[in-house]
């Protein structure tokens, strides 16, 4: 199994302005992704019940695409839910939302991603309490994902978006504290560019823990349109025998089709498995 390419599609109007390559039109985005040679799409849905799984299966099969992963961030963006909220009813609804996304994505052999739904400590929850809430949720949801033979993906974010885990190492500390072994990390090169001292070293240290990659440049534009030096990062991913997706979670800069094309150019340039 080689490293595979994916591209993001947002179906959440409230996320407009966010780092997603394609927007709103699932069928059109799948057609374009397939034309450009992507292996898969990563979907950011408004909720677990808002994409018809039968229609999605037909669409993916028709375009020869896999589902790389499904984001859960609409729970935060649309409903202001998160896993470390001071109110237990909100935490519980956050878990329900993510569990339902796992149930949607699982039959496609796709993992759910916890990014913004991790919330942050402060505002009524101290750091230790929040860490406990997050760990409990990862235990339960990670075990739930096992029902589908997929991991649960946890994403460290930069300091402006969370204080739960900002680096691969901080993410690994959380993973090591869990009894479930079914949670993996998302290495998002945009967040890492802000937080890591050395991106290739952080990836090498994440061997065995990194299960998904957001392939994006320093300014959150498509790979190649910022100042990240990708060659040593790709070498580190190959060195740790990373076998997941590199998924373009980037601004649709200068427009969605061009962003997808630039990403595919970069993918072909850097990853050996795509006929470059
Ligand atoms: Mn990301």
């Amino acid at each position: 199994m080689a490293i595979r390419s994916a591209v993001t599609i947002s179906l959440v109007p409230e996320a407009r302005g966010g780092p997603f390559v394609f927007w709103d039109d699932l069928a059109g985005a799948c057609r374009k992704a397939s034309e450009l040679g992507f292996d898969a799409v990563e979907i950011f849905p408004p909720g677990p019940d808002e994409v018809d799984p039968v229609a999605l299966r037909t669409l993916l099969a028709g375009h020869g695409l896999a589902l790389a992963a499904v984001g859960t961030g609409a729970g935060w963006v649309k409903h202001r839910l998160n896993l470390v909220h001071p109110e237990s009813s909100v935490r519980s609804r956050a878990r329900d939302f993510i569990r339902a996304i796992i149930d949607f994505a699982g039959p496609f052999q796709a993992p759910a991603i916890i990014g913004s739904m991790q919330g942050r400590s402060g505002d009524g929850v101290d750091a230790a309490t929040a860490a406990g809430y997050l760990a409990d949720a990862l235990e339960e949801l990670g075990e739930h994902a096992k029902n589908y033979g997929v991991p649960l993906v946890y994403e460290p974010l930069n300091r402006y978006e969370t204080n739960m885990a900002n680096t691969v190492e901080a993410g690994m500390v959380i993973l090591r504290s869990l009894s479930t072994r079914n949670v993996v990390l998302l290495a998002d090169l945009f967040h890492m560019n802000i937080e890591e001292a050395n991106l290739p070293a952080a990836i090498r240290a994440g061997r065995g823990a990194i299960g998904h990659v957001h392939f994006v440049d320093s300014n959150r534009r498509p790979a190649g349109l910022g100042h990240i030096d990708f060659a040593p990062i790709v070498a580190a991913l190959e060195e740790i025998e990373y076998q997941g997706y590199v998924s373009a979670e980037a601004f649709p800069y200068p427009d969605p089709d061009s962003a997808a094309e630039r990403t595919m150019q970069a993918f072909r340039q850097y990853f050996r498995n795509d006929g470059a």
Side-chain angles (χ1 to χ4, degrees):
M1 190 74 81
I3 294 173
R4 288 153 290 160
S5 58
V7 62
T8 50
I9 307 170
S10 172
L11 304 174
V12 181
E14 292 89 340
R16 200 157 281 292
F20 303 99
V21 171
F22 290 118
W23 289 82
D24 306 331
D25 176 9
L26 181 60
C30 286
R31 184 174 61 244
K32 191 71 192 180
S34 172
E35 281 171 12
L36 290 172
F38 283 95
D39 298 307
V41 293
E42 176 178 326
I43 297 178
F44 189 72
D49 304 318
E50 295 180 58
V51 174
D52 174 8
V54 175
L56 178 59
R57 197 169 289 283
T58 303
L59 193 55
L60 294 173
H63 290 295
L65 293 166
L67 186 61
V70 179
T72 63
W76 165 248
V77 172
K78 283 178 71 82
H79 306 293
R80 294 294 157 195
L81 304 175
N82 75 64
L83 294 171
V84 305
H85 195 278
E87 288 176 39
S88 70
S89 64
V90 176
R91 295 196 302 275
S92 148
R93 284 168 55 215
R95 277 198 208 195
D96 292 345
F97 188 92
I98 295 166
R99 196 183 305 102
I101 296 274
I102 292 169
D103 291 333
F104 167 75
F108 293 91
Q109 290 299 292
I113 296 171
I114 296 180
S116 58
M117 286 290 275
Q118 70 193 279
R120 59 190 306 147
S121 67
D123 292 335
V125 183
D126 64 68
T129 304
Y133 290 155
L134 178 61
D136 285 351
L138 293 174
E139 293 280 14
E140 181 203 321
L141 296 167
E143 285 297 297
H144 185 66
K146 260 192 190 168
N147 293 322
Y148 301 98
V150 297
L152 174 67
V153 179
Y154 170 70
E155 181 174 17
L157 305 174
N158 74 72
R159 68 191 70 183
Y160 306 107
E161 299 186 35
T162 190
N163 53 13
M164 302 305 295
N166 299 132
T167 60
V168 169
E169 175 55 28
M172 290 178 75
V173 168
I174 294 176
L175 263 51
R176 283 195 290 263
S177 78
L178 305 176
S179 54
T180 180
R181 299 266 68 86
N182 201 42
V183 182
V184 296
L185 294 181
L186 200 167
D188 179 312
L189 302 179
F190 165 75
H191 296 301
M192 291 177 71
N193 176 64
I194 295 171
E195 298 292 349
E196 305 285 357
N198 181 315
L199 273 71
I203 286 168
R204 284 194 296 270
R207 179 189 282 269
I210 295 173
H212 197 70
V213 171
H214 278 157
F215 183 49
V216 56
D217 220 315
S218 52
N219 47 10
R220 227 170 195 181
R221 289 179 180 176
L225 299 181
H227 60 69
I228 286 182
D229 183 8
F230 285 96
I233 291 171
V234 172
L237 287 169
E238 291 175 347
E239 186 183 322
I240 67 169
E241 300 178 296
Y242 175 70
Q243 299 195 329
Y245 288 100
V246 292
S247 184
E249 188 192 61
F251 290 131
Y253 178 86
D255 58 75
D257 285 4
S258 306
E261 284 168 27
R262 286 305 299 254
T263 294
M264 185 43 71
Q265 282 172 19
F267 184 79
R268 291 205 157 107
Q269 179 182 349
Y270 290 112
F271 293 91
R272 61 181 180 235
N273 59 305
D274 202 42

